[in-house]
Amino acid sequence: MGSHLLFRLGLAVVVAWPAACSGTSPTQPHGAGTTGAAGIGQAGSAGMPGAAGSGGAAGSGGVPSGAAGTAAGSMSAGTSPGGAAAGKGGSAGEGGAVGGGAAGVAGAGGGGTAGAFTCNQVTGMTLAREWFTAGFESDAGIVDGRWQLKAREHGYITEWANPNSDFWNQQPESPCATGSTNPDHVVLVVLSWNPACCTTQPEWEQPIDAAVANLVAKYSALERIDLMTVIRGPNNQLCPTPPVANETISMSPELDAALAAVAAKHPGLVFVAPQFEAHDCAAFAGGGPHLTNAGNSAVAQDIALHFSALQ
């Protein structure tokens, strides 16, 4: 990363799956033609997804037409910040060795494989649009056809907390090739400049909780939600030039605590993204919160680096 701080993974908070998920990927031999045991995903290191669970070993020395092994790979969330990504299912098992049984099928609906989402949607406001359109989709690691943006000016968390807000009718920009109306992964950018809305942790939690409930209700295919803030100043500090009045580039600890608390209520569904920061104060237009074109381009690469492993 050179001399630049791309993002501070150490502060991202992710809720782990129960300790029963050991974070290894064992296989268990079985008799001829029997079903392989489910794989268990490897725990994720900081900011990275857990590895996919592999299918159980097929029965060896089987008889002709032995039954295929199956895999229902489960996911063990990373215990370090960043955590494991929700997935689409474990790896397929192999058929019986002698009988040439058919290959096992991948586990349906299980976690384990990072990403492979049909449609990833960034939901937010103008500040999110700025980095999204500054090169996020053109980054080498991002699959353009699987990403879209639903953003609107003043798209604050209070709007997404309202199930009847007209903001939900906003047409997606750069729509996904498939699943555009029903994304299975949403990156929700949480922001409000209104002090009457959100100052304390409980005051932040209430609209974030409501927005999560609305996303689940409106998108039946939804499998994962990542909560993130707008781009912060270096080390989450203000720059020498003051930001726009009543706005900031320093996110409060109450907001960060609320994001973690909401994720804790929805293990396996809601996660907290890294705290993305500008590389330096020169990245902002004045004191922020809007970034220059170059500043947005730089943070777009940072964000793409993280989400390319989760798409």
Side-chain angles (χ1 to χ4, degrees):
M1 295 188 291
S3 62
H4 296 306
L5 175 63
L6 297 185
F7 45 81
R8 299 190 298 143
L9 298 174
L11 294 183
V13 181
V14 174
V15 177
W17 282 80
C21 295
S22 64
T24 59
S25 299
T27 57
Q28 300 179 4
H30 290 264
T34 58
T35 298
I40 304 297
Q42 182 179 3
S45 60
M48 295 301 294
S54 58
S60 60
V63 296
S65 66
T70 61
S74 62
M75 176 185 65
S76 175
T79 55
S80 298
K88 295 288 189 177
S91 303
E94 297 179 349
V98 174
V105 296
T113 303
F117 294 109
T118 301
C119 183
N120 305 266
Q121 176 176 291
V122 175
T123 303
M125 71 301 294
T126 301
L127 288 170
R129 177 186 287 113
E130 289 179 357
W131 58 255
F132 189 93
T133 58
F136 173 78
E137 283 189 299
S138 61
D139 186 272
I142 292 296
V143 181
D144 186 358
R146 295 213 302 264
W147 283 90
Q148 65 184 27
L149 172 72
K150 183 186 283 285
R152 193 157 162 177
E153 187 175 3
H154 306 308
Y156 303 142
I157 189 61
T158 47
E159 290 294 342
W160 306 114
N162 178 6
N164 300 315
S165 172
D166 182 59
F167 282 43
W168 291 105
N169 298 321
Q170 182 76 16
Q171 293 301 305
E173 302 170 42
S174 183
C176 296
T178 304
S180 178
T181 60
N182 194 13
D184 47 358
H185 177 207
V186 169
V187 178
L188 178 63
V189 183
V190 178
L191 176 69
S192 176
W193 298 131
N194 184 1
C197 154
C198 313
T199 301
T200 67
Q201 178 180 333
E203 288 172 344
W204 277 111
E205 277 189 54
Q206 190 277 329
I208 299 171
D209 273 329
V212 167
N214 289 336
L215 288 168
V216 171
K218 292 178 181 293
Y219 300 139
S220 61
L222 191 61
E223 295 184 5
R224 181 182 174 106
I225 299 170
D226 282 271
L227 304 174
M228 66 174 283
T229 67
V230 297
I231 306 305
R232 303 165 185 238
N235 297 315
N236 198 30
Q237 300 296 312
L238 297 176
C239 290
T241 302
V244 174
N246 301 317
E247 300 180 6
T248 186
I249 57 174
S250 176
M251 301 301 108
S252 71
E254 290 80 9
L255 168 56
D256 287 334
L259 297 177
V262 173
K265 299 173 188 177
H266 306 278
L269 172 66
V270 180
F271 300 82
V272 181
Q275 299 174 359
F276 297 104
E277 299 178 350
H279 293 186
D280 51 42
C281 286
F284 289 103
H290 295 275
L291 287 92
T292 64
N293 291 338
N296 274 307
S297 179
V299 297
Q301 293 179 42
D302 298 345
I303 298 169
L305 178 64
H306 174 71
F307 284 109
S308 63
L310 300 176
Q311 64 185 340

